[in-house]
Amino acid sequence: MSAGIVHIGVGGFHRAHQAMVLDDLRVLGLADGWGICGVGVLPGDRRMRDVLHAQDHRYTLVLKHPDGQQTARGIASITDYLFAPDDPEAVIEKMASPEVRIVSLTITEGGYHVDRITGEFDASDPRIAADLAPGAVPQTAFGLIAEALRRRRERGVVPFTVLSCDNIQGNGDVCRRMLAAFATRKDPELGTWIAAAVAFPNSMVDRITPATTDDDRAAITARFGVDDAWPVVAEPFFQWVIEDHFPAGRPPFEAAGVQLVADVEPYELMKLRLLNAGHQGLCYFGRLSGYDLVHEAAQDPLIVRLLRRYMDEEATPTLRPVPGVDLDRYKDTLLERFANPHVRDTIARLCTDSSDRIPTWLLPVVRHQLATGGPVRFSAAIVASWARYAEGVDEHGEAIDVVDRQRETVMAYAARQRADPTAFLRQRDLFGDLADDAVFAAEYRWALNSLIHRGAQATLADL
């Protein structure tokens, strides 16, 4: 398999979905020219480069079923891995080469540099600012992609399709606007061309993929006889929905169970506002209630009731009909998936980078409900549970390790909230004017006061 796809951000999520799909096609004899060249852009990606190189870019994918059954397979669709900090020129030239027809991304919600208030491109990140300097050698995903597209344009090579696989509503549309805005700051003509000539299909991916642990490595060796330095574990559920817009060509994704549709939005809103926002409803209340693993919290009747009422009363009214999906059954399935004891996903993983996740997944529900006069009680309680969690100390006085891009700022606002109950809400870059909304602020203050003075379980019982 030659590499027709370059993927930036090779982690467990990518290896549990896109790389698996391409491997399915490889097994079917349908992946000729559609191998994946992985790219790492962050210093922490060096370890992935080293592990994959040592294993000929192969790894093990283990699916953990609710009944305890485990199935394992070797994945061989990644053909190479380039580490951009060591050789950015190699990455740019790889993407500029005619055989590459898709550049895909899992760079997290924060990797798109969207100003949460204006929705415009935020160039304040120091690495972005460095990439925008005249004559700079690109170091970010946007810098590398823009330069590769510039070279293709100069050489008369058709642009590759940029396929975002991150959990952002309208991820392709967001990627187009942000990348074009970045490029415009470098070269206005290039930015205009990218916005007009490059395809950015929207997509939605659904598969719970916890971080790989040493216990996973040991169990895979014991159970399957495989020594793998970085296997991937995931739940069996899988859904990938993609807008079918690939002018430079694409693999026959549909042969591997991918849904190719004209409009992804109903599917992505369903996933973001039910699964992803539901995870946020579970994780802070779960951690404050003393749970470490997701399935433990998902078996707590009070947390289950909170999630179901949030989904039914607040999230579902914001959704459009989803072709081929029974939303009630989908919500039942979500709660079953969260409670799978064998996946052993951690509460800490779900709590990571909340300042990226809450504004992206939950606050659109809040704003829709406020605009239409709908209830926001459960959404406000979820935000309050994040605020209480962000104090960095649990109900037993034990430290909470708050992992967030804005850790210092978030924790500083949380530290003031016992004297000033809406202090946390006044992070305008996260919440906009929600602190000024009487309905939301009242629900939030009640929940935060209850969490502080009575604890998570009593608050859940009252909710």
Side-chain angles (χ1 to χ4, degrees):
M1 294 168 63
S2 60
I5 300 172
V6 168
H7 183 81
I8 301 175
V10 177
F13 190 54
H14 164 72
R15 294 189 295 148
H17 84 274
Q18 185 179 349
M20 180 202 72
V21 164
L22 269 298
D23 196 69
D24 285 342
L25 296 179
R26 178 188 65 82
V27 171
L28 294 170
L30 300 174
D32 188 25
W34 290 112
I36 299 168
C37 174
V39 169
V41 298
L42 301 175
D45 294 330
R46 186 184 298 274
R47 178 169 170 251
M48 182 65 74
R49 186 274 312 272
D50 293 343
V51 167
L52 288 179
H53 280 193
Q55 298 182 173
D56 196 24
H57 307 104
R58 297 169 185 249
Y59 63 91
T60 311
L61 172 62
V62 175
L63 303 184
K64 295 184 174 182
H65 299 259
D67 62 1
Q69 177 188 1
Q70 295 187 19
T71 54
R73 58 182 284 190
I75 303 294
S77 55
I78 298 176
T79 63
D80 198 5
Y81 189 100
L82 302 176
F83 185 57
D86 282 352
D87 193 350
E89 181 65 20
V91 174
I92 294 167
E93 277 300 308
K94 183 66 177 179
M95 291 192 288
S97 60
E99 64 267 21
V100 170
R101 288 167 281 173
I102 297 171
V103 171
S104 52
L105 305 168
T106 45
I107 56 176
T108 77
E109 299 77 28
Y112 293 83
H113 306 283
V114 182
D115 185 297
R116 297 182 184 89
I117 302 303
T118 67
E120 300 302 317
F121 182 67
D122 179 1
S124 63
D125 186 300
R127 298 176 74 241
I128 289 289
D131 270 10
L132 289 173
V137 176
Q139 58 176 316
T140 66
F142 279 8
L144 294 163
I145 293 171
E147 175 59 20
L149 285 169
R150 185 189 68 78
R151 294 186 189 185
R152 291 176 80 112
R153 181 168 174 254
E154 284 187 349
R155 298 169 186 176
V157 178
V158 297
F160 47 70
T161 296
V162 180
L163 176 62
S164 170
C165 301
D166 284 295
N167 288 319
I168 299 172
Q169 181 179 339
N171 53 13
D173 298 331
V174 170
C175 190
R176 178 199 305 277
R177 290 192 297 105
M178 298 305 112
L179 181 60
F182 170 89
T184 296
R185 284 166 167 78
K186 293 279 286 186
D187 175 352
E189 188 177 341
L190 176 63
T192 300
W193 178 79
I194 286 175
V198 180
F200 292 83
N202 293 305
S203 72
M204 180 277 274
V205 188
D206 189 355
R207 166 162 275 176
I208 296 172
T209 308
T212 303
T213 67
D214 288 338
D215 287 345
D216 290 323
R217 294 179 182 89
I220 288 167
T221 298
R223 187 163 188 161
F224 300 107
V226 175
D227 290 322
D228 189 332
W230 207 331
V232 181
V233 298
E235 64 168 344
F237 183 92
F238 172 79
Q239 185 180 29
W240 192 9
V241 184
I242 311 175
E243 180 185 354
D244 196 3
H245 183 45
F246 292 83
R250 64 167 176 82
F253 286 126
E254 60 273 29
V258 178
Q259 295 171 259
L260 280 300
V261 301
D263 183 8
V264 174
E265 184 180 56
Y267 300 91
E268 68 186 359
L269 291 182
M270 173 187 73
K271 193 249 181 173
L272 295 174
R273 297 181 181 183
L274 296 176
L275 185 150
N276 294 112
H279 265 161
Q280 305 315 112
L282 177 149
C283 66
Y284 315 112
F285 273 109
R287 176 64 179 82
L288 294 170
S289 296
Y291 300 116
D292 294 318
L293 297 174
V294 172
H295 73 269
E296 296 170 341
Q299 294 172 10
D300 182 321
L302 290 174
I303 292 178
V304 170
R305 185 152 175 78
L306 167 74
L307 296 181
R308 188 63 195 234
R309 291 196 65 184
Y310 157 75
M311 292 179 187
D312 287 345
E313 298 173 29
E314 297 180 14
T316 299
T318 75
L319 304 179
R320 293 164 48 191
V322 186
V325 176
D326 179 330
L327 280 179
D328 283 334
R329 178 58 192 143
Y330 179 78
K331 287 179 281 191
D332 290 340
T333 301
L334 282 183
L335 296 174
E336 293 166 5
R337 292 164 62 193
F338 292 171
N340 183 338
H342 303 286
V343 172
R344 298 188 68 78
D345 200 0
T346 64
I347 297 284
R349 183 185 77 87
L350 302 189
C351 293
T352 299
D353 289 331
S354 302
S355 62
D356 287 333
R357 296 176 170 188
I358 290 289
T360 304
W361 302 336
L362 182 66
L363 296 191
V365 172
V366 171
R367 293 194 171 94
H368 182 282
Q369 289 292 86
L370 291 173
T372 58
V376 292
R377 189 179 195 208
F378 302 109
S379 298
I382 293 169
V383 175
S385 70
W386 174 32
R388 171 63 186 87
Y389 169 91
E391 291 182 347
V393 180
D394 69 14
E395 295 176 8
H396 305 289
E398 299 294 327
I400 294 173
D401 183 17
V402 177
V403 179
D404 196 286
R405 293 171 185 268
Q406 299 189 40
R407 171 188 165 92
E408 290 76 16
T409 301
V410 165
M411 293 188 72
Y413 276 91
R416 301 204 294 266
Q417 64 194 5
R418 299 204 175 210
D420 180 0
T422 56
F424 195 78
L425 282 187
R426 289 201 297 276
Q427 298 177 82
R428 299 286 179 177
D429 63 324
L430 299 181
F431 297 107
D433 60 357
L434 281 181
D436 304 322
D437 186 282
V439 173
F440 184 81
E443 297 284 13
Y444 171 86
R445 282 194 302 268
W446 175 86
L448 181 62
N449 181 70
S450 181
L451 284 163
I452 288 172
H453 295 291
R454 302 174 62 241
Q457 285 288 300
T459 303
L460 286 166
D462 281 355
L463 284 168

